[in-house]
Amino acid sequence: MKKSICLLMCAVLLCISFTGCSSGNDKEKGNDAESTVSDLKITYDSHYSDMDESAVRTYEKLCNAVINHETEVKFNTSMLDDVNQLFYTSFPLYALVDGMEFLDDKTGVSITYKYETEDHTKKVNEFKNAVSEIMNSCDYGLVGNNQYLLNLYTYIASNVTIDNSVTTVMDTIINKRGISATISGMFEYLLLQADISASHIMNLDSNSIARMISMAEFNGGTYYFDPASEINENSGSGLVYFAMDSARATVSSNDEFVFTDKEKPEEIVDDTYDILSTCSSYTVEGNKVIADCKGYDDFEFTIN
């Protein structure tokens, strides 16, 4: 009997998914052509940057098969655990897959889809167009990585709505609605499309399981970001949950942050931006951010 390899993992990761890919250096300002996103990059959570190259290539092969509605992919199935880890953590279009099963000869997998070819292609193109629209709105290709990250964080906090009925990153990107996990997944995925290092962070505290946050590189450091909480707090007018160290990201003493493979991240001790926890509004002047923080003088920092 064929062994199902996707349905359980899909159900488990549906509410905890998603994120990013590889790191990159800040881009120089580009021209209009460079700011247009023409196609998707196959990216994966930066936490898995040391994954075996064969597994990464197989993951990319699987992603391209899903994009093209292919019903069979041949690969060494001994790598399946690693491939699944990347696929269900990092590829929003996994939501179009209904199931995967080993081929009879164990030389790969067969894939079934939720939609027939025409509707599937429409969904893929809708997703691509949404990614392109958001990235262009955030000046991708026209600003450096750090400015793009700030623009994206603000865009999401200002334009996305909390909606517990939307439970995939794909639908959150398309419809700009979602839960904490998919909103952070959206943030991470759109960073990774810009070659900015990002990872998805889960909270194992049973009382806070709905709160998922992101880890990303910003201004030469690594910090936590929580755009979903920013939406709830101020709808994008502040930076309360922006560039947090571990202490500031911790809401409860029971919080336990892990990557999607349950490995614990190293503690982030850089508290450069801690004063932003009281930020009610901010302005950007050139490469300088001026934050109005309650009870303090304006806090200024430079975007490198």
Side-chain angles (χ1 to χ4, degrees), residues 66-203:
V66 170
I67 289 172
N68 296 314
H69 203 262
E70 297 173 12
T71 58
E72 187 175 287
V73 183
K74 295 291 189 74
F75 62 89
N76 182 348
T77 54
S78 67
M79 299 183 294
L80 190 59
D81 287 345
D82 286 344
V83 172
N84 272 342
Q85 185 70 69
L86 295 175
F87 186 69
Y88 290 108
T89 299
S90 306
F91 187 59
L93 293 177
Y94 88 84
L96 298 174
V97 173
D98 189 47
M100 289 193 292
E101 292 183 335
F102 284 118
L103 297 173
D104 287 335
D105 59 5
K106 302 297 190 293
T107 59
V109 298
S110 63
I111 310 172
T112 56
Y113 294 95
K114 295 177 180 177
Y115 303 96
E116 297 299 325
T117 303
E118 183 177 354
D119 288 337
H120 179 96
T121 301
K122 287 180 180 178
K123 285 285 187 181
V124 171
N125 287 334
E126 187 178 12
F127 178 75
K128 287 181 178 181
N129 290 338
V131 169
S132 180
E133 181 270 321
I134 295 168
M135 293 182 71
N136 290 332
S137 294
C138 297
D139 290 336
Y140 170 69
L142 302 177
V143 296
N145 281 357
N146 295 316
Q147 182 66 63
Y148 171 79
L149 183 149
L150 175 62
N151 293 349
L152 176 62
Y153 183 88
T154 301
Y155 178 95
I156 292 174
S158 303
N159 293 281
V160 176
T161 302
I162 302 293
D163 185 339
N164 291 332
S165 71
V166 180
T167 57
T168 72
V169 175
M170 182 190 77
D171 287 329
T172 296
I173 289 176
I174 292 173
N175 300 315
K176 299 181 178 61
R177 312 179 72 85
I179 59 176
S180 171
T182 62
I183 291 169
S184 60
M186 173 187 185
F187 179 61
E188 296 144 18
Y189 182 77
L190 293 169
L191 289 179
L192 299 167
Q193 287 293 305
D195 298 321
I196 299 172
S197 177
S199 291
H200 194 66
I201 302 295
M202 299 158 40
N203 189 352

Side-chain angles (χ1 to χ4, degrees), residues 35-90:
S35 70
T36 300
V37 181
S38 60
D39 212 345
L40 301 177
K41 299 175 184 177
I42 305 301
T43 62
Y44 57 94
D45 191 306
S46 300
H47 175 60
Y48 301 104
S49 59
D50 293 331
M51 183 77 75
D52 182 83
E53 290 185 6
S54 295
V56 172
R57 288 195 298 270
T58 299
Y59 158 70
E60 293 171 346
K61 184 178 182 180
L62 178 59
C63 291
N64 283 314
V66 170
I67 289 172
N68 296 314
H69 203 262
E70 297 173 12
T71 58
E72 187 175 287
V73 183
K74 295 291 189 74
F75 62 89
N76 182 348
T77 54
S78 67
M79 299 183 294
L80 190 59
D81 287 345
D82 286 344
V83 172
N84 272 342
Q85 185 70 69
L86 295 175
F87 186 69
Y88 290 108
T89 299
S90 306

Side-chain angles (χ1 to χ4, degrees), residues 217-231:
E217 290 184 355
F218 175 73
N219 259 8
T222 299
Y223 305 96
Y224 289 122
F225 299 83
D226 186 356
S229 291
E230 201 76 63
I231 293 169

Side-chain angles (χ1 to χ4, degrees), residues 148-294:
Y148 171 79
L149 183 149
L150 175 62
N151 293 349
L152 176 62
Y153 183 88
T154 301
Y155 178 95
I156 292 174
S158 303
N159 293 281
V160 176
T161 302
I162 302 293
D163 185 339
N164 291 332
S165 71
V166 180
T167 57
T168 72
V169 175
M170 182 190 77
D171 287 329
T172 296
I173 289 176
I174 292 173
N175 300 315
K176 299 181 178 61
R177 312 179 72 85
I179 59 176
S180 171
T182 62
I183 291 169
S184 60
M186 173 187 185
F187 179 61
E188 296 144 18
Y189 182 77
L190 293 169
L191 289 179
L192 299 167
Q193 287 293 305
D195 298 321
I196 299 172
S197 177
S199 291
H200 194 66
I201 302 295
M202 299 158 40
N203 189 352
L204 293 185
D205 177 15
S206 60
N207 295 318
S208 303
I209 193 64
R211 181 176 180 247
M212 307 294 172
I213 61 177
S214 305
M215 176 185 287
E217 290 184 355
F218 175 73
N219 259 8
T222 299
Y223 305 96
Y224 289 122
F225 299 83
D226 186 356
S229 291
E230 201 76 63
I231 293 169
N232 279 324
E233 182 83 15
N234 54 59
S235 299
S237 63
L239 294 171
V240 175
Y241 300 94
F242 183 88
M244 299 180 290
D245 63 357
S246 295
R248 184 167 142 230
T250 301
V251 174
S252 164
S253 60
N254 294 322
D255 282 348
E256 184 178 358
F257 296 129
V258 295
F259 296 105
T260 58
D261 62 358
K262 304 298 180 66
E263 182 178 327
K264 292 184 179 181
E266 292 185 7
E267 185 177 6
I268 298 175
V269 297
D270 183 353
D271 61 357
T272 299
Y273 305 98
D274 269 13
I275 194 173
L276 291 176
S277 63
T278 64
C279 174
S280 58
S281 64
Y282 70 96
T283 57
V284 179
E285 298 178 2
N287 65 342
K288 181 180 294 185
V289 178
I290 305 169
D292 181 6
C293 300
K294 296 176 182 177

